[in-house]
Amino acid sequence: MKGNPYLFAAYAATWIIHIAYIGTIVSRYARLKREIDELKKPGLRSQEKPEARS
Amino acid sequence: MSKLFFIFALLTLLLLGYALHAALVTAPTERTMGDVQRIFYYHVPSAWTAFILFFINFGASVYYLIKRNPTADIVALVCAEVGVVFCTVVLITGPIWARPVWGIWWTWDMRLTSTLVLWLIYVSYLFLRRFSSSGQTPTLAAALAVLGALCVPFVYFSIWFFRTQHPQPVMGGGGSIDPRMLHVLLINWLAFSCFAFLVCWSRYRLERLQRDVDHAHAMEALRDPRGKLR
């Protein structure tokens, strides 16, 4: 198999799309983890900016 | 994450590596198109995987409309999202193959246009899920998904019913394919199906967690400063 720019572009594009999507899942996990840690702190949330969640 | 998830992820990674090797090295070179034909080993399995995910989205949406089951709602959302990712791959790898073979990136052919419309329907579905805050959103999204799913068989069979530039289907299209090529195609399909399942699994867990956190926030908002429910 010789190097073909179209073939390379198609395979690269496929993996860039999949990796980018996995990246969004990982970042959403990280954000949720922070939220969960915040929720676990007892009594803190009720004292902090109550309008933030409205 | 569970141990089972990591074992499955490792196996999927190995399978994807083997499938890539098979597509680039093992599969014979096509006489007319040459190496550019190897795009087919990513393009076609991605399309099949997207269709299967949209089909599961359809089943889950119908189930949600009948039973109002929240798990079915999550399954529908997850399958639509991952299906859109695979459909995006189809819409990008197709024109990359078409440029050297047809001499153009895109043509308003029935198969290409209907695939683009299918993609737009499911992107609309995801926009609805993302930006609507109404309590009716899951129901409206499920209704849209049922209508969107009608487009899937239309996309698949469009090359039978209309004059089109797109090659005939590999399965049931009356064309023939070298058995070695078919083998590599099926290996890639299996690899992408496992990969899609893995991504859906992660996304499902994420969505469940998100809903639990939203519920916890709602409960927090209901508490008075002394920590009692209002």
Side-chain angles (χ1 to χ4, degrees):
Chain A
M1 190 210 65
K2 292 172 199 164
N4 183 306
Y6 292 103
L7 178 63
F8 176 77
Y11 279 41
T14 300
W15 285 112
I16 288 168
I17 291 165
H18 285 307
I19 290 167
Y21 179 61
I22 291 169
T24 66
I25 293 179
V26 170
S27 78
R28 279 187 273 182
Y29 256 125
R31 188 168 45 79
L32 264 183
K33 187 93 175 64
R34 279 198 301 274
E35 270 188 59
I36 291 166
D37 290 344
E38 230 177 277
L39 276 168
K40 279 180 182 168
K41 291 175 191 167
L44 271 181
R45 289 200 61 80
S46 53
Q47 291 162 18
E48 283 171 6
K49 298 177 190 170
E51 71 281 359
R53 279 278 144 204
S54 62
Chain B
M1 292 271 180
S2 65
K3 197 176 168 186
L4 186 67
F5 180 88
F6 280 109
I7 293 170
F8 191 70
L10 187 69
L11 289 175
T12 303
L13 206 64
L14 289 172
L15 189 58
L16 282 167
Y18 174 68
L20 180 66
H21 179 267
L24 293 177
V25 181
T26 316
T29 305
E30 210 267 346
R31 257 185 241 160
T32 325
M33 290 183 265
D35 282 333
V36 82
Q37 180 270 339
R38 292 175 198 274
I39 293 174
F40 158 90
Y41 300 117
Y42 267 33
H43 178 78
V44 176
S46 297
W48 288 351
T49 309
F51 289 164
I52 288 170
L53 289 167
F54 291 150
F55 182 72
I56 298 171
N57 166 273
F58 168 74
S61 299
V62 169
Y63 190 74
Y64 178 78
L65 286 173
I66 297 167
K67 300 273 184 187
R68 293 289 190 270
N69 181 314
T71 304
D73 182 46
I74 298 176
V75 169
L77 169 64
V78 166
C79 288
E81 202 175 287
V82 181
V84 164
V85 173
F86 276 90
C87 201
T88 307
V89 169
V90 174
L91 285 170
I92 288 177
T93 53
I96 294 173
W97 170 85
R99 182 71 184 86
V101 177
W102 292 343
I104 45 169
W105 292 102
W106 183 268
T107 175
W108 294 103
D109 171 277
M110 189 52 80
R111 169 55 84 84
L112 277 68
T113 309
S114 58
T115 308
L116 180 64
V117 169
L118 180 73
W119 182 82
L120 287 170
I121 289 171
Y122 282 96
V123 168
S124 313
Y125 172 92
L126 295 178
F127 272 41
L128 175 66
R129 304 290 313 223
R130 176 71 184 80
F131 297 110
S132 167
S133 54
S134 153
Q136 289 293 305
T137 304
T139 311
L140 294 172
L144 177 62
V146 170
L147 294 174
L150 298 176
C151 200
V152 174
F154 182 78
V155 172
Y156 190 80
F157 294 112
S158 60
I159 43 182
W160 290 4
F161 301 140
F162 299 93
R163 283 168 66 90
T164 169
Q165 268 185 276
H166 194 280
Q168 286 300 301
V170 180
M171 301 290 186
S176 62
I177 181 172
D178 186 304
R180 289 170 298 168
M181 287 181 173
L182 183 63
H183 174 76
V184 173
L185 178 71
L186 294 176
I187 291 280
N188 272 279
W189 185 33
L190 178 67
F192 277 110
S193 299
C194 290
F195 178 68
F197 177 74
L198 201 65
V199 176
C200 285
W201 187 351
S202 312
R203 184 65 187 85
Y204 178 85
R205 289 171 63 112
L206 177 70
E207 189 60 27
R208 275 228 101 98
L209 202 61
Q210 177 70 65
R211 290 184 186 206
D212 288 347
V213 169
D214 289 346
H215 179 72
H217 277 308
M219 294 305 285
E220 187 79 12
L222 285 173
R223 283 179 198 283
D224 63 21
R226 285 167 295 175
K228 289 180 181 168
L229 277 174
R230 279 176 187 149

